[in-house]
Amino acid sequence: MNDYNEEKAYEKAKKRLEEEKGFYSHLAVYIVINIALLFFMSKLAAFIGTDPNDSGFKNWRFWNTFLTPVVWGIALLGHGLWVFKEKFFLKKFFKKSIFSKDWEERKIKEFMDKDKF
């Protein structure tokens, strides 16, 4: 392999590594924050001096305790699918999406053919 191809492969591998590190950091923050959220929500009633059996408080605590991990978990799932798209069946979808380099190159070629630069 010549130096250019080797350098390009290295840059691609480095970018992939950074994406995976970003996902694992996101996962770690998700776990830590949600454990802390569960702990603090369980102690919140005593801290603010409200009745833990009050239906309004229980409803608020339920939605704030469980909706946050669910919505954030969906976002984390999307992040994981994006980072590990090479390993999933979604590879073909991402390859044709507007976020791929292939799509960018096809559009550039299309614009060049259309406008005859």
Side-chain angles (χ1 to χ4, degrees):
M1 203 181 330
N2 63 23
D3 288 340
Y4 176 75
N5 288 340
E6 196 169 309
E7 186 176 328
K8 197 166 183 150
Y10 175 80
E11 291 299 323
K12 188 175 179 180
K14 187 174 179 179
K15 182 181 178 206
R16 177 103 171 100
L17 174 67
E18 292 299 320
E19 288 175 351
E20 284 193 28
K21 280 176 50 179
F23 172 75
Y24 291 126
S25 296
H26 188 180
L27 180 62
V29 169
Y30 172 82
I31 291 168
V32 168
I33 294 295
N34 282 298
I35 288 172
L37 178 69
L38 287 171
F39 174 75
F40 288 121
M41 284 297 190
S42 69
K43 306 295 182 196
L44 185 63
F47 180 73
I48 62 174
T50 190
D51 179 20
N53 295 322
D54 177 39
S55 64
F57 177 76
K58 285 172 80 172
N59 191 26
W60 176 86
R61 186 176 65 190
F62 172 79
W63 286 109
N64 282 288
T65 303
F66 296 106
L67 195 59
T68 301
V70 169
V71 172
W72 192 356
I74 291 169
L76 184 64
L77 175 66
H79 188 182
L81 288 173
W82 179 258
V83 169
F84 299 106
K85 63 185 173 251
E86 299 291 324
K87 296 179 182 178
F88 295 105
F89 66 93
L90 294 172
K91 181 179 179 181
K92 292 178 185 176
F93 170 75
F94 284 119
K95 198 162 186 79
K96 294 180 181 178
S97 76
I98 63 171
F99 303 109
S100 72
K101 285 288 185 189
D102 292 342
W103 180 83
E104 289 178 11
E105 291 171 8
R106 283 194 314 269
K107 286 307 262 185
I108 289 171
K109 186 174 184 317
E110 179 183 318
F111 291 148
M112 289 174 63
D113 291 343
K114 181 180 174 185
D115 296 334
K116 302 292 183 203
F117 288 107

